[in-house]
């Protein structure tokens, strides 16, 4: 379905039991709402209703050109507006990668709208910011961000040779990259997705505000982007009930590689309140 709000039109998959508790699923880069396809059957079987949007920049009808339009506060406002448009006051929230950044913002600053919070791969922004500042291993892991922030250069590198570099990001995912890469080859799509990185402000995005809603952090020890320092630093920034689930032998693409385990962590968290 399509949902128009804030002057933008989002592509959204809404499914599962109509009377089930709502779960908002936020994707990251360079994926889209389809990343949740392996996970949602488990959630539906547990009685949960899922809402999975293509977020700002990924939905063709929600693709502003200005970099500033992709600030994390705008992204969080989109999520809240989608819930409003669907008549949902409070939801369980799940976010992977950049979707986790948005989710942390929601959990920290809009806790009244968040029943529970499950972050996937990316820890609390203050934990990540500290690791990037102090940990050489995390600095190495995050070095790709310097390229992604270069307007024009990143697009050229990622789309060259039939988008070979973009496809290569999924080499360890053991899934077809077509469902993610082909939409990003549309005019303006990759630039919009990369604008999430370009609008990133460490002072704002590394917000130390603690999270006071029940939280689960799912991390995989094969993640090339997020190392153990950032992952294990997450707990210090959650004042509510907190669980960390570590998946062994799984890469950054948790939803595709370990959907049952991820769904189990989400379901357990939703049942904790």
């Amino acid at each position: 379905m399509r949902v128009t709000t804030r002057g933008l039109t989002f592509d959204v998959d809404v499914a599962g039991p109509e009377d089930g508790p709502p779960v908002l699923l936020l994707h990251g880069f360079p994926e889209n709402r389809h990343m949740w396809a392996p996970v949602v059957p488990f959630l539906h079987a547990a009685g949960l209703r899922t809402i999975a949007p293509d977020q700002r920049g990924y939905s063709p009808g929600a693709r502003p050109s200005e970099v500033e339009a992709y600030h994390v506060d705008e992204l969080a406002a989109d999520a809240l507006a989608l819930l409003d448009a669907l008549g949902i006051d409070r939801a369980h929230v799940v976010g992977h990668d950049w979707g986790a950044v948005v989710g942390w913002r929601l959990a920290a600053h809009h806790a009244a709208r968040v029943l529970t919070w499950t972050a996937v791969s990316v820890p609390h922004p203050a934990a990540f910011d500290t690791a990037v500042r102090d940990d050489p291993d995390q600095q190495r892991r995050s070095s790709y961000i310097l390229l992604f922030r270069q307007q024009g250069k990143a697009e050229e590198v990622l789309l060259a040779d039939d988008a070979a570099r973009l496809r290569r990001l999924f080499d360890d995912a053991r899934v077809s990259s077509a469902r993610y890469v082909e939409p990003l080859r549309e005019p303006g799509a990759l630039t919009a997705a990369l604008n999430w990185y370009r609008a990133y402000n460490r002072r704002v995005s590394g917000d130390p505000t603690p999270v006071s809603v029940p939280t689960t952090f799912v991390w995989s020890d094969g993640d090339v982007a997020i190392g153990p320092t950032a992952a294990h630093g997450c707990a210090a920034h959650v004042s509510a009930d907190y669980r960390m689930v570590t998946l062994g032998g799984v890469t950054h693409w948790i939803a595709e590689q370990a959907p049952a385990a991820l769904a189990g962590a989400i379901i357990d968290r939703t049942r904790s309140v």
Side-chain angles (χ1 to χ4, degrees):
M1 65 184 296
R2 290 194 172 117
V3 177
T4 298
T5 183
R6 307 190 75 217
L8 304 171
T9 299
F10 296 87
D11 296 323
V12 186
D13 287 343
V14 179
E18 291 189 4
D19 60 349
V23 180
L24 178 64
L25 301 169
L26 303 173
H27 68 82
F29 177 89
E31 297 183 293
N32 51 47
R33 72 188 191 279
H34 298 298
M35 67 160 287
W36 300 109
V39 178
V40 294
F42 296 100
L43 303 184
H44 296 163
L48 298 168
R49 186 158 180 80
T50 56
I51 303 100
D54 280 345
Q55 296 191 81
R56 178 176 294 226
Y58 294 83
S59 287
R63 195 168 284 164
S65 58
E66 305 84 1
V67 170
E68 295 76 14
Y70 296 86
H71 187 279
V72 65
D73 284 332
E74 294 291 341
L75 307 171
D78 288 344
L80 295 175
L82 285 170
L83 293 179
D84 290 340
L86 295 170
I88 298 170
D89 180 50
R90 303 179 74 199
H92 302 282
V93 180
V94 182
H96 175 254
D97 189 80
W98 267 106
V101 177
V102 178
W104 284 113
R105 196 73 171 178
L106 293 172
H109 293 276
H110 304 279
R113 305 294 304 274
V114 180
L115 288 166
T116 67
W117 164 227
T118 301
V120 188
S121 296
V122 173
H124 189 284
F128 178 74
D129 187 60
T130 298
V132 169
R133 185 188 66 211
D134 299 336
D135 179 35
D137 174 65
Q138 188 58 56
Q139 291 165 7
R140 176 185 58 78
R141 292 171 184 264
S142 299
S143 61
Y144 69 93
I145 294 175
L146 296 175
L147 169 64
F148 285 8
R149 287 173 62 88
Q150 295 182 49
Q151 297 188 44
K153 179 64 174 177
E155 288 89 335
E156 177 185 349
V157 169
L158 292 173
L159 293 177
D161 301 320
D162 193 33
R165 288 283 292 275
L166 197 54
R167 297 180 193 281
R168 203 172 301 147
L169 295 176
F170 295 98
D171 280 353
D172 60 4
R174 298 193 292 274
V175 297
S176 171
S177 63
R179 70 173 63 180
Y180 308 126
V181 174
E182 293 310 312
L184 290 177
R185 297 181 71 185
E186 297 173 3
L190 181 58
T191 293
L194 290 169
N195 279 344
W196 289 50
Y197 290 92
R198 293 161 184 166
Y200 178 82
N201 180 307
R202 283 184 63 183
R203 180 182 60 81
V204 176
S205 300
D207 180 7
T209 304
V211 166
S212 60
V213 299
T215 298
T216 295
F217 175 46
V218 183
W219 176 68
S220 47
D221 63 8
D223 194 323
V224 299
I226 303 295
T229 298
H232 292 290
C234 186
H237 301 281
V238 180
S239 60
D241 179 56
Y242 175 80
R243 304 170 186 171
M244 179 173 175
V245 176
T246 300
L247 302 178
V250 178
T251 72
H252 184 70
W253 314 110
I254 292 174
E256 290 90 348
Q257 289 187 300
L262 175 56
I266 296 168
I267 293 165
D268 286 348
R269 175 45 71 195
T270 64
R271 290 176 175 172
S272 69
V273 295

